[in-house]
Amino acid sequence: MALSEERAPAPPRHIAIIMDGNGRWAKQRGLPRTAGHAAGAESFRRIANYCRTLGVEYLTVYAFSTENWKRSQDEVQGIMVLLRRYLEEALRDMDKNQVRFRFFGDLSQLSPQLRKLCRDAESRSGVYKVQVNFCLNYGGRDELVRAARRFAQDVAAGKCGPEDLTEERMDSYLYSAGVPDPELIIRPSGEKRLSNFLLWQSAYSEFVFMNVLWPDFMPEHLDEAIEEFHRRNRRFGGT
Ligand code: FPP
């Protein structure tokens, strides 16, 4: 075996995760759904740290979708409180954790307090190893409609013509502008759907669906998903 083959292959540059199964995790324990989300937030902390250790450059997580407003006010409020607490803590520890943040989604519907935390986190610059992209009030279709609208506005303003729309230009109108597409998308909890997540960006992603609930998701599960990703890559790369 060649020397290079003995070393663990590099992890994907960009991993995206649908953090699913918090509600079921809570139900199994007779706890309120918010307790499941609190455990899910802990799981996120664990996995974001592990991604930094592994050298993953971008971690994108689906924290709140455009459809999640349909949940009870208590549950929505509970998720918002967890996000606020996390961002307050993250702003304090950003340099130590060597992380930076981007937010994908329409933040205008969030509370002014949460919006300010998002803006403060996004505007902080410094040395970082991993970029976390939080999808907040995010929907893939909403992102595409917004991009189409922005392009139409540029055409109407005479900045460009319809023939100037290319894939690269389309990218530039998305929340994810400048971020490479995720090579790997993981959905725990046994569900096998994309649920309006990264519709444009997932065109060539590998999908790994796992039977573990998000609050129980451990670094070993991420290792397992990455191994599966490499197995698929090797097969496609073979003769
Ligand atoms: C899906 O599980 C999860 C969500 C809609 C919310 C995800 C939010 C968090 C993990 C907390 C956010 C905070 C931080 C700091 C990341 P579900 O409730 O739909 O689960 P179920 O399908 O079992 O009901």
Side-chain angles (χ1 to χ4, degrees):
M1 189 187 274
L3 247 183
S4 60
E5 281 172 308
E6 284 171 14
R7 281 192 224 113
R13 273 186 86 192
H14 184 174
I15 296 178
I17 305 182
I18 300 175
M19 303 185 289
D20 196 14
N22 299 343
R24 276 162 283 169
W25 184 92
K27 195 168 176 204
Q28 283 172 3
R29 288 162 178 76
L31 296 170
R33 293 181 62 83
T34 336
H37 296 311
E42 275 313 305
S43 196
F44 162 75
R45 282 181 177 85
R46 193 163 59 227
I47 295 303
N49 282 334
Y50 189 54
C51 280
R52 190 193 52 207
T53 312
L54 287 180
V56 173
E57 291 173 57
Y58 300 90
L59 171 66
T60 301
V61 287
Y62 211 178
F64 195 83
S65 77
T66 45
E67 288 75 34
N68 286 153
W69 296 106
K70 292 181 206 145
R71 298 186 176 209
S72 76
Q73 220 187 333
D74 263 10
E75 185 173 350
V76 170
Q77 194 50 29
I79 295 174
M80 296 300 162
V81 168
L82 287 167
L83 284 163
R84 204 187 66 216
R85 278 199 205 132
Y86 173 77
L87 288 173
E88 283 167 352
E89 168 196 310
L91 272 160
R92 274 198 312 270
D93 299 340
M94 244 165 124
D95 296 329
K96 186 181 87 193
N97 289 339
Q98 297 187 303
V99 59
R100 80 170 178 184
F101 295 97
R102 280 267 298 267
F103 296 87
F104 298 175
D106 177 6
L107 304 189
S108 69
Q109 284 178 55
L110 305 181
S111 71
Q113 199 184 11
L114 187 53
R115 244 185 358 247
K116 181 172 181 330
L117 282 168
C118 295
R119 269 201 313 270
D120 288 351
E122 217 164 28
S123 64
R124 283 273 293 274
S125 55
V127 181
Y128 72 97
K129 284 193 177 149
V130 61
Q131 173 172 315
V132 170
N133 304 311
F134 266 113
C135 294
L136 254 187
N137 192 22
Y138 173 89
R141 288 185 174 182
D142 185 60
E143 179 179 37
L144 292 170
V145 167
R146 178 181 168 275
R149 202 177 286 142
R150 289 179 64 203
F151 176 67
Q153 281 163 351
D154 282 350
V155 173
K159 291 187 193 160
C160 54
E163 64 287 356
D164 293 322
L165 188 58
T166 58
E167 291 190 11
E168 290 70 31
R169 186 165 195 133
M170 185 72 183
D171 262 327
S172 75
Y173 290 108
L174 301 177
Y175 292 122
S176 57
V179 175
D181 290 340
E183 293 100 321
L184 170 62
I185 296 184
I186 302 169
R187 183 168 192 156
S189 94
E191 305 292 347
K192 296 190 171 102
R193 288 187 298 278
L194 197 48
S195 299
N196 208 9
F197 188 47
L198 304 178
L199 296 182
W200 173 274
Q201 299 85 344
S202 62
Y204 294 101
S205 306
E206 291 291 337
F207 291 90
V208 174
F209 299 104
M210 305 178 85
N211 275 325
V212 57
L213 300 175
W214 175 246
D216 291 327
F217 197 95
M218 294 292 155
E220 299 81 73
H221 295 107
L222 189 65
D223 287 340
E224 209 183 294
I226 293 175
E227 277 162 26
E228 169 68 23
F229 166 81
H230 284 303
R231 270 197 297 276
R232 290 190 204 167
N233 258 11
R234 276 192 207 121
R235 247 202 331 268
F236 291 139
T239 49

